[in-house]
């Protein structure tokens, strides 16, 4: 009997955790503050694969010294987190962090890169 | 036979969900209805199986032991191998559940060419089994990040340790790798060891293939065919907070993963996977071996009508005396 209760408590952990201490309704609201119409690749691609793209950028720049990224639509970009990505996405706390915290991932970008100073709006 | 049947079944399941989502646009079915149904089946099924076992009477303690039973004070007893009190039972059960102690004793018998019968240890099954179960638990705990908001601090720490090698982005989790390697071993031993192959049935292969499918789809989804995990979490949070929703545009790999997990959950109570509950309820292991110390009266013994000697003598005293048989009471 006690076993069944323990089993039920464990198996329904997410349900009662979110009811008691959680904010189940919370969905982060990402702020994109830029005039640009388009990221280096399509929005869908970036949402799914940005971490891979950034990793490739790092490898190409650091290991091969190549700084030019040719996007799938032929446009060229400077491969740089600070100068390209952060130019548009100036709001790390409202853009990167919100989503990363939501799904609990801890990227190591800013272990080396300097966190951009944010303009208080 | 069982092998091909099971493989075919898992491939068909994958195909069904692929076609259902890609062609049929059945996101609602595979994203919400199936997971809920599977989870309900899992809970109700597991509880009814456990209750069924708990209700079966165990009138006599049939512990399997491999140690000295407690008897006279100067005979050294082994309270873990042959427990005589609850503490010993708890220690024994903990070692069994957490470390698979009985599997550690697995031996194999070989006829060496002499011919000589040789008994040897066989620890690979124990090692692979232990690695598989523990890594599966770690994976399960890691997945809680999709079901909790805010995510408990401890989970981040946990994932950090799991991905400590920082291979690739997103980082490769060691637990996922260990799980897939060990479950592959558990499958291959069924194929390559003739005796094990002989006793393996579809019910053995199917869960293995299903778990391989779950692990592989998860790994592929994380590292190769990426999906938007932001939306995945929205869906998962919708499920656990009973405000179900289907965010647009989650990739097919996610639905395949979710469906295989649902099938695994729904299949669980009807299969050998119920050893999850069974290991706790096995009466050969969860009872103290105190048959000699305590009298265990069978609870449903009906009152037996007895005819004692005194009554017998009262009944036949005269005849006994007449026949010259000695009586106790004159």
């Amino acid at each position: 009997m006690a076993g069944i209760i323990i089993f039920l408590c464990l198996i329904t952990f997410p349900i009662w955790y979110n009811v008691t201490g959680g904010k189940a309704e919370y969905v982060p609201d990402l702020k994109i503050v830029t005039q640009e119409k388009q990221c280096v690749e399509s929005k869908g691609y970036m949402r799914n694969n940005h971490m891979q793209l950034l990793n490739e950028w790092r490898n190409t720049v650091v290991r091969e010294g190549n700084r030019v990224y040719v996007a799938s639509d032929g446009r060229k970009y400077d491969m740089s987190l600070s100068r390209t990505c952060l130019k548009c996405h100036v709001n790390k706390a409202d853009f990167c962090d919100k989503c990363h915290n939501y799904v609990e991932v801890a990227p190591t970008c800013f272990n080396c890169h300097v966190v951009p100073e944010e303009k208080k709006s | 036979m069982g092998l091909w049947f099971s493989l075919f079944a898992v491939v068909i399941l994958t195909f069904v969900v692929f076609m259902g989502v890609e062609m049929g646009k059945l996101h609602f079915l595979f994203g919400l209805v199936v997971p809920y149904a599977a989870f309900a089946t899992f809970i109700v099924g597991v509880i009814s199986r456990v209750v069924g076992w708990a209700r079966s009477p165990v009138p006599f303690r049939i512990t399997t032991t491999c140690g000295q039973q407690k008897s006279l004070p100067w005979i050294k007893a082994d309270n873990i191998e042959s427990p005589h009190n609850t503490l010993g039972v708890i220690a024994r059960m903990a070692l069994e559940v957490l470390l698979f102690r009985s599997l550690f004793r697995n031996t194999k018998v070989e006829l060496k060419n002499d011919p000589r019968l040789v008994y040897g240890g066989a620890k690979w099954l124990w090692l692979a089994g232990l690695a598989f179960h523990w890594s599966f638990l770690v994976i399960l705990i890691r997945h809680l990040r999709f079901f909790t908001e805010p995510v408990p601090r401890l989970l981040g720490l946990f994932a950090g340790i799991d991905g400590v090698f920082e291979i690739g982005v997103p980082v490769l989790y060691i637990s996922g790798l260990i799980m897939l390697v060990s479950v592959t071993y558990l499958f291959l031993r069924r194929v390559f060891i003739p005796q094990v192959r002989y006793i393996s049935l579809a019910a053995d292969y199917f869960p293995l293939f299903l778990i391989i499918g779950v692990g592989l789809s998860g790994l592929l989804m994380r590292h190769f065919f990426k999906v938007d995990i932001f939306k995945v979490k929205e869906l998962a949070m919708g499920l656990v907070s009973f405000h179900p929703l289907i965010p647009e545009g989650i990739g097919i790999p996610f639905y395949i993963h979710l469906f295989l997990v649902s099938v695994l959950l729904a299949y669980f109570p009807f299969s050998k996977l119920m050893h999850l509950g069974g290991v706790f309820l096995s009466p050969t292991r969860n009872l103290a071996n105190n048959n000699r110390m305590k009298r265990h009266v069978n609870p449903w013994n009906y009152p037996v009508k007895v005819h004692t000697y005194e009554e017998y003598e009262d009944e036949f005293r005269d005849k006994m005396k007449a026949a010259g048989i000695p009586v106790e009471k004159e």
Side-chain angles (χ1 to χ4, degrees):
Chain A
M1 195 58 223
I4 293 175
I5 292 167
I6 292 171
F7 167 75
L8 273 179
C9 287
L10 286 179
I11 205 76
T12 56
F13 169 76
I15 297 172
W16 55 258
Y17 176 84
N18 288 317
V19 168
T20 52
K23 301 175 285 180
E25 318 291 293
Y26 172 75
V27 174
D29 176 28
L30 300 190
K31 291 203 181 73
I32 296 178
V33 282
T34 180
Q35 312 305 318
E36 293 282 336
K37 289 277 175 289
Q38 155 101 62
C39 198
V40 294
E41 298 287 351
S42 73
K43 188 180 169 191
Y45 180 85
M46 291 311 286
R47 279 188 78 118
N48 295 356
N49 296 290
H50 63 278
M51 66 303 275
Q52 200 175 336
L53 183 93
L54 287 172
N55 204 35
E56 280 161 20
W57 280 23
R58 184 204 58 188
N59 290 352
T60 338
V61 169
V62 176
R63 296 180 191 166
E64 293 159 28
N66 176 12
R67 276 199 166 273
V68 182
Y69 178 71
V70 182
S72 52
D73 62 359
R75 288 183 300 166
K76 287 183 182 163
Y77 293 95
D78 182 17
M79 277 195 231
S80 166
L81 177 72
S82 309
R83 280 180 310 223
T84 308
C85 305
L86 295 178
K87 194 177 73 187
C88 296
H89 305 295
V90 291
N91 46 347
K92 175 174 174 288
D94 265 348
F95 185 73
C96 308
D97 294 350
K98 255 192 181 169
C99 191
H100 288 155
N101 291 343
Y102 183 56
V103 293
E104 187 64 28
V105 290
T108 50
C109 310
F110 294 97
N111 288 10
C112 303
H113 285 274
V114 178
V115 179
E117 270 185 44
E118 290 191 29
K119 280 170 247 163
K120 294 272 176 267
S121 55
Chain B
M1 176 53 205
L3 193 160
W4 294 112
F5 174 79
S6 308
L7 183 63
F8 191 64
V10 174
V11 170
I12 288 282
L13 286 172
T14 314
F15 187 72
V16 162
V17 60
F18 183 82
M19 294 309 279
V21 175
E22 181 76 23
M23 302 282 166
K25 303 283 168 222
L26 296 169
H27 295 79
F28 184 76
L29 177 68
F30 288 109
L32 301 179
V33 179
V34 170
Y36 271 137
F39 194 66
T41 314
F42 175 71
I43 290 197
V44 174
V46 167
I47 289 179
S48 63
R49 287 294 298 266
V50 168
V51 167
W53 284 327
R55 284 164 61 99
S56 355
V58 182
F60 191 70
R61 303 194 159 200
I62 46 165
T63 44
T64 49
T65 61
C66 46
Q68 177 62 49
Q69 184 179 16
K70 168 128 172 116
S71 53
L72 298 167
W74 41 270
I75 297 176
K76 200 179 166 201
D78 191 337
N79 199 22
I80 288 176
E81 303 296 4
S82 181
H84 68 269
N85 54 16
T86 313
L87 193 70
V89 170
I90 289 171
R92 187 185 195 206
M93 286 301 289
L95 286 170
E96 179 62 28
V97 171
L98 302 175
L99 298 172
F100 306 171
R101 197 146 187 258
S102 63
L103 200 56
F104 190 70
R105 299 208 176 87
N106 186 29
T107 53
K108 72 175 169 202
V109 186
E110 264 179 315
L111 212 53
K112 291 270 164 95
N113 14 352
D114 296 356
R116 217 164 35 131
L117 203 59
V118 179
Y119 292 86
K123 305 279 187 248
W124 286 108
L125 175 62
W126 168 80
L127 185 69
L130 200 68
F132 168 73
H133 282 83
W134 276 104
S135 54
F136 208 135
L137 178 67
V138 170
I139 291 169
L140 215 64
I141 293 174
R142 269 205 284 101
H143 273 75
L144 284 178
R145 72 183 168 122
F146 294 114
F147 298 101
T148 50
E149 178 60 39
V151 182
R153 273 280 172 74
L154 215 57
L155 280 184
L157 199 71
F158 206 62
I161 295 169
D162 202 354
V164 71
F165 289 125
E166 296 192 358
I167 301 166
V169 172
V171 293
L172 180 73
Y173 285 131
I174 311 163
S175 56
L177 208 61
I178 294 177
M179 201 271 265
L180 270 178
V181 170
S182 53
V183 77
T184 306
Y185 168 79
L186 293 177
F187 163 63
L188 290 179
R189 72 179 266 282
R190 289 197 180 273
V191 177
F192 287 117
I193 303 176
Q195 295 93 325
V196 182
R197 189 187 172 120
Y198 184 75
I199 57 166
S200 294
L201 305 170
D204 299 309
Y205 290 117
F206 182 66
L208 282 173
F209 283 130
L210 205 54
I211 289 167
I212 290 174
V214 168
L216 217 56
S217 61
L219 205 76
L220 289 176
M221 174 165 62
R222 182 172 170 82
H223 297 285
F224 299 101
F225 309 107
K226 295 195 172 58
V227 297
D228 190 340
I229 60 167
F230 182 94
K231 290 175 184 163
V232 169
K233 178 151 187 183
E234 270 187 87
L235 191 150
M237 291 304 291
L239 284 177
V240 295
S241 61
F242 300 105
H243 296 288
L245 74 160
I246 296 280
E248 279 293 307
I250 306 180
I252 294 274
F254 169 72
Y255 286 99
I256 294 176
H257 187 66
L258 184 66
F259 184 60
L260 291 180
V261 172
S262 303
V263 173
L264 187 67
L265 280 179
Y267 175 66
F268 205 98
F270 309 102
S271 66
K272 63 184 253 182
L273 299 173
M274 267 312 291
H275 67 264
L276 169 74
V279 67
F280 294 99
L281 281 129
S282 105
T284 55
R285 205 166 274 129
N286 67 6
L287 292 171
N289 182 22
N290 58 3
N291 280 320
R292 286 172 165 178
M293 294 159 63
K294 282 186 193 157
R295 180 151 192 247
H296 299 282
V297 178
N298 195 348
W300 67 91
N301 274 353
Y302 54 89
V304 180
K305 204 179 163 206
V306 284
H307 195 223
T308 61
Y309 180 73
E310 284 75 23
E311 289 164 358
Y312 173 87
E313 205 181 272
D314 289 345
E315 196 178 337
F316 297 107
R317 186 163 293 116
D318 299 340
K319 287 179 176 126
M320 288 169 80
K321 276 183 181 168
I325 300 170
V327 288
E328 286 187 353
K329 264 196 284 181
E330 285 302 327

